[in-house]
Amino acid sequence: MRSIKQIKNIKGSRVLLRVDFNVPIKDGKVEDDFRIKKALPTIEFLQKEKAKIVLITHLGRGEESLKVVAEALNKYIKIKFVPDIVGNEAQKAIGDMKDGEIIMLENLRNEKGEQECSKVFALELSKFANIYVNEAFPVSHREDASIVLLPKILPSYAGFQLEKEVESLSHAFLNTKHPFLFILGGAKFSTKMPLIQKYLKLADHVFIGGALANDFLKAKGYEVGKSLIDDANYDITEELKNKKLILPVDAVVKSGDKLVNKKIDEVGKHEIILDVGSETTKNLASIIKDSKFILWNGPLGKYEAGGGGATKEILKLVADSKAESIIGGGDLVSVLSSLKANSYKQKANLFVSTGGGATLDFLANGTLPGIKALE
Ligand code: 3PG
């Protein structure tokens, strides 16, 4: 990948800057602007170098307007929002731009061509610029027009955060420090299974929490009551025998109206597992203490239902540990934000990934379609 520092004759160039501002929105406002903040160094660099910057992003599945996202970005840097993508309004606004100006076009997914990976759509967009920059790691696992086709049409470069994501996440399979602890939570057992198999080889310990653990516990013959499970028809006999695999030994369960800590073999038919229990947290804490590299994706419990205690406790331990640590996945990052966001996010040995699905795909495959397209 070429860095944006390698762009020649940048002054006055028109740069199509693909960002991922697919951010959570609540009551008409951006709820968490983490992804926006992480793209700022690239935007500021291009502006300082006097490029004309055209920001493009998607939001949700399409149809939503980026107006609120543009307002959130405007708090940090002055931009003009143009509610159009490839029409006359966009063409005129881009034609009128001065050096160092920034405009943001409307939600790319409002055009079918984006997700259909249409060459016609990519060609239309490419006419707006002479340089393409990908600063959209979280969507680089999608074969969308602005991710995989634009870099084939225009000279292409990687933004600073994209470079950091690739470098940091690669430590999970290149020059990895040991002991290496991989913590995987959340749900979607079938999607995460290839990752578990891979890291049972690469890591020293693989701890499974969240709804994911329920599938393992059920396969081991434990009662999981009414807990969330995937029920995918996966044979995990081999994985269960692997000594590196660590499962919860106790859990916080919802029993009637109460939340109680129970040993794993005491969970009842009508109960719901919401979090890993106190003994499990203690065991995990002692592994964290001895680890030199920690990779964590997905929360350990059902946060919204009161199962967030262990995730918070473990997050603090990971963030304060001396190990090189990587945390990823939207839910987990939101919990981190609710702790002591800024101090944790600036710790040199803690990397917080902006990706969700993209982080998992990168960890599983070592690259992403959007990254390959930049080569
Ligand atoms: C994300 O939030 O993970 C990315 O923006 C990708 O979004 P998508 O899953 O809707 O493609």
Side-chain angles (χ1 to χ4, degrees):
M1 294 193 303
R2 286 161 298 274
S3 158
I4 50 174
K5 289 199 173 147
Q6 290 170 259
I7 306 178
K8 294 207 176 86
N9 306 324
I10 194 163
K11 185 173 180 307
S13 294
R14 271 179 293 149
V15 177
L16 260 179
L17 177 54
R18 179 42 160 120
V19 286
D20 185 340
F21 290 168
N22 185 25
V23 289
I25 296 186
K26 202 175 164 194
D27 304 327
K29 284 211 169 87
V30 170
E31 205 181 5
D32 182 353
D33 64 0
F34 177 57
R35 284 183 177 175
I36 295 178
K37 282 199 266 189
K38 288 286 165 185
L40 286 175
T42 290
I43 303 175
E44 285 161 357
F45 172 83
L46 294 171
Q47 183 173 52
K48 212 168 129 239
E49 298 291 325
K50 297 266 180 292
K52 296 172 176 137
I53 306 159
V54 182
L55 291 171
I56 46 173
T57 178
H58 71 285
L59 177 66
R61 303 268 160 227
E63 278 161 30
E64 292 114 294
S65 171
L66 283 172
K67 194 165 173 278
V68 283
V69 176
E71 281 163 10
L73 178 58
N74 250 316
K75 282 190 213 145
Y76 298 106
I77 197 160
K78 191 170 165 289
I79 64 146
K80 182 179 163 200
F81 174 59
V82 180
D84 186 21
I85 306 173
V86 282
N88 290 339
E89 204 181 337
Q91 284 174 30
K92 168 137 190 11
I94 291 168
D96 291 345
M97 283 176 92
K98 300 196 178 65
D99 294 356
E101 269 184 8
I102 310 170
I103 67 165
M104 182 194 257
L105 300 181
E106 188 51 285
N107 189 351
L108 286 177
R109 287 192 181 168
N110 288 0
E111 286 280 344
K112 274 208 236 111
E114 168 67 352
Q115 288 192 281
E116 285 174 2
C117 202
S118 145
K119 282 197 183 122
V120 177
F121 178 57
L123 276 171
E124 274 182 303
L125 272 175
S126 72
K127 288 188 187 132
F128 288 154
N130 40 349
I131 289 165
Y132 168 84
V133 175
N134 180 337
E135 185 56 304
F137 176 80
V139 68
S140 291
H141 59 320
R142 301 285 185 223
E143 305 219 4
D144 293 350
S146 67
I147 295 295
V148 295
L149 295 183
L150 279 179
K152 294 289 164 216
I153 304 171
L154 294 168
S156 60
Y157 298 85
F160 295 135
Q161 179 65 18
L162 179 77
E163 284 182 319
K164 275 194 203 156
E165 296 274 358
V166 170
E167 203 210 306
S168 303
L169 294 175
S170 297
H171 288 176
F173 43 83
L174 277 179
N175 306 323
T176 318
K177 291 181 193 148
H178 290 269
F180 168 13
L181 166 65
F182 183 41
I183 308 176
L184 194 59
K188 297 189 196 142
F189 174 78
S190 18
T191 335
K192 290 177 182 167
M193 214 37 222
L195 209 59
I196 296 172
Q197 283 161 337
K198 176 167 176 166
Y199 286 92
L200 275 173
K201 292 191 191 106
L202 296 177
D204 300 291
H205 303 282
V206 176
F207 177 86
I208 308 287
L212 208 57
N214 301 339
D215 292 273
F216 279 86
L217 294 169
K218 190 175 172 217
K220 275 191 104 168
Y222 289 113
E223 177 63 69
V224 292
K226 293 190 173 148
S227 313
L228 182 66
I229 43 166
D230 193 319
D231 255 345
N233 232 352
Y234 243 108
D235 180 6
I236 51 171
T237 333
E238 282 311 304
E239 287 75 21
L240 286 174
K241 281 192 224 150
N242 195 315
K243 294 264 184 298
K244 292 179 180 177
L245 186 80
I246 306 167
L247 295 175
V249 291
D250 62 345
V252 175
V253 300
K254 188 162 189 228
S255 186
D257 287 340
K258 288 194 193 121
L259 295 187
V260 269
N261 202 105
K262 283 198 163 184
K263 289 217 162 69
I264 261 338
D265 56 3
E266 289 172 353
V267 177
K269 268 199 175 66
H270 300 288
E271 295 175 334
I272 307 171
I273 300 178
L274 291 181
D275 204 354
V276 301
S278 51
E279 205 182 321
T280 306
T281 307
K282 226 165 86 194
N283 295 345
L284 189 54
S286 102
I287 303 174
I288 288 170
K289 224 169 103 218
D290 294 334
S291 297
K292 293 228 164 67
F293 182 68
I294 302 168
L295 175 64
W296 182 1
N297 192 287
L300 302 181
K302 201 167 177 201
Y303 205 76
E304 59 292 0
T311 302
K312 273 193 184 171
E313 208 175 320
I314 296 296
L315 259 179
K316 282 188 195 146
L317 291 179
V318 171
D320 288 334
S321 91
K322 289 202 172 61
E324 176 186 346
S325 308
I326 298 177
I327 286 170
D331 297 337
L332 203 53
V333 176
S334 304
V335 184
L336 186 68
S337 304
S338 72
L339 300 175
K340 282 202 298 184
N342 291 331
S343 52
Y344 283 142
K345 281 180 188 168
Q346 279 157 21
K347 277 182 70 127
N349 60 348
L350 173 69
F351 179 76
V352 185
S353 174
T354 52
T359 306
L360 294 176
D361 280 11
F362 186 85
L363 290 172
N365 306 318
T367 187
L368 297 175
I371 293 170
K372 273 199 218 149
L374 292 175
E375 282 162 8

